[in-house]
Amino acid sequence: MAVFVALGAFLMTLFGGWAAGRVTDRRHLVLGLAGGLMLGAAALDLLPEAMAAAGREVFGVPQAMLLFAGGFLLAHVVERLLAGRHAAHGAYNGGPHGHDHRVPQIGMTAAAAMVLHSLMDGIAIGAAFQAGGGMGATVALAVITHDFADGFNTYTITKLYGNERRKALAMLLAAALAPVVGAASTLLFTMPQELLGSYLGFFGGALLYLAAAEILPEAHHEHPARSTLLCTVAGVAFIWLVTGLAE
């Protein structure tokens, strides 16, 4: 049953990526929505789950919060190092005097993190069905619904950093397959709750950095319109709705 439900997540992820690819003429709206979805996922979904699973304190601070900050800082350090390395070699997309400093490797790394997150979604489905059918159905509903956002974000963030369309599609397919693989893997093992919570906290911090420092500034750079802002708010509200329904 868990693997069958994960097939729904597979289809929803592909649909999210398809939607992102179809609205290229409204790129600022796509980015605004993607930023809202990522912000909502980090703050309203990942961090609360991380706190519940890995809330023990380390020197006065919950472990999940430390890893949340660590994920944010690591994403910032990696982005700066890669950007500096490209600048030193004159490898900006706009040339040595250009202004386009997006580094394709950052997009691929972020997309790979989204794939890993989708894998953990599949594991969550399998673990929930191990705990009971009712819990499994609830978690499955939440995962399938927000996998639209995962597919949307995976495709968008890969393309945002200048990667070719075929690479964006490859990462989208990997993100779609990941929940199925994750759900199937729960037939073989069970992931400790604290480890799962630690991962969710770390990934939430990295996701927040990408949303706040990369996606949203890019969305408002050329089109500082109210419609872009409304898309961001709608993205956060959508994740809130999904999280509330799952509860």
Side-chain angles (χ1 to χ4, degrees):
M1 177 59 76
V3 176
F4 178 76
V5 169
L7 290 175
F10 169 84
L11 295 174
M12 188 62 77
T13 303
L14 290 180
F15 179 62
W18 176 84
R22 293 286 293 180
V23 289
T24 52
D25 58 329
R26 292 289 184 268
R27 183 170 176 272
H28 59 292
L29 299 180
V30 172
L31 293 176
L33 178 61
L37 291 171
M38 294 168 73
L39 173 60
L44 307 180
D45 185 13
L46 297 175
L47 186 56
E49 289 291 333
M51 289 289 293
R56 71 179 184 88
E57 293 190 353
V58 179
F59 202 63
V61 178
Q63 178 178 319
M65 290 300 299
L66 285 174
L67 288 165
F68 186 82
F72 187 99
L73 290 173
L74 181 63
H76 176 60
V77 169
V78 169
E79 191 271 340
R80 288 293 87 203
L81 287 176
L82 288 175
R85 179 180 170 188
H86 272 60
H89 290 82
Y92 286 89
N93 290 345
H97 303 292
H99 300 287
D100 192 349
H101 61 278
R102 289 170 293 181
V103 183
Q105 291 93 325
I106 296 176
M108 294 299 290
T109 301
M114 295 298 297
V115 173
L116 180 59
H117 173 58
S118 294
L119 179 69
M120 304 305 286
D121 281 345
I123 293 175
I125 291 175
F129 271 100
Q130 289 178 359
M135 180 178 293
T138 301
V139 171
L141 173 64
V143 169
I144 290 174
T145 306
H146 93 252
D147 270 353
F148 173 85
D150 286 350
F152 192 97
N153 289 335
T154 300
Y155 184 89
T156 300
I157 202 169
T158 307
K159 287 283 290 177
L160 173 65
Y161 283 88
N163 289 287
E164 299 174 358
R165 183 172 180 271
R166 62 180 179 83
K167 291 185 177 180
L169 290 174
M171 296 309 294
L172 174 64
L173 180 60
L177 289 171
V180 181
V181 175
S185 72
T186 58
L187 301 174
L188 305 175
F189 74 94
T190 302
M191 179 174 243
Q193 280 295 105
E194 186 171 348
L195 179 60
L196 176 61
S198 297
Y199 161 76
L200 292 176
F202 184 83
F203 179 66
L207 203 63
L208 179 63
Y209 176 81
L210 292 172
E214 300 289 335
I215 303 296
L216 292 177
E218 181 72 16
H220 292 277
H221 177 62
E222 295 181 0
H223 297 275
R226 290 182 181 177
S227 56
T228 307
L229 180 60
L230 288 175
C231 283
T232 301
V233 174
V236 175
F238 175 75
I239 297 296
W240 185 17
L241 175 63
V242 171
T243 303
L245 290 175
E247 292 296 327

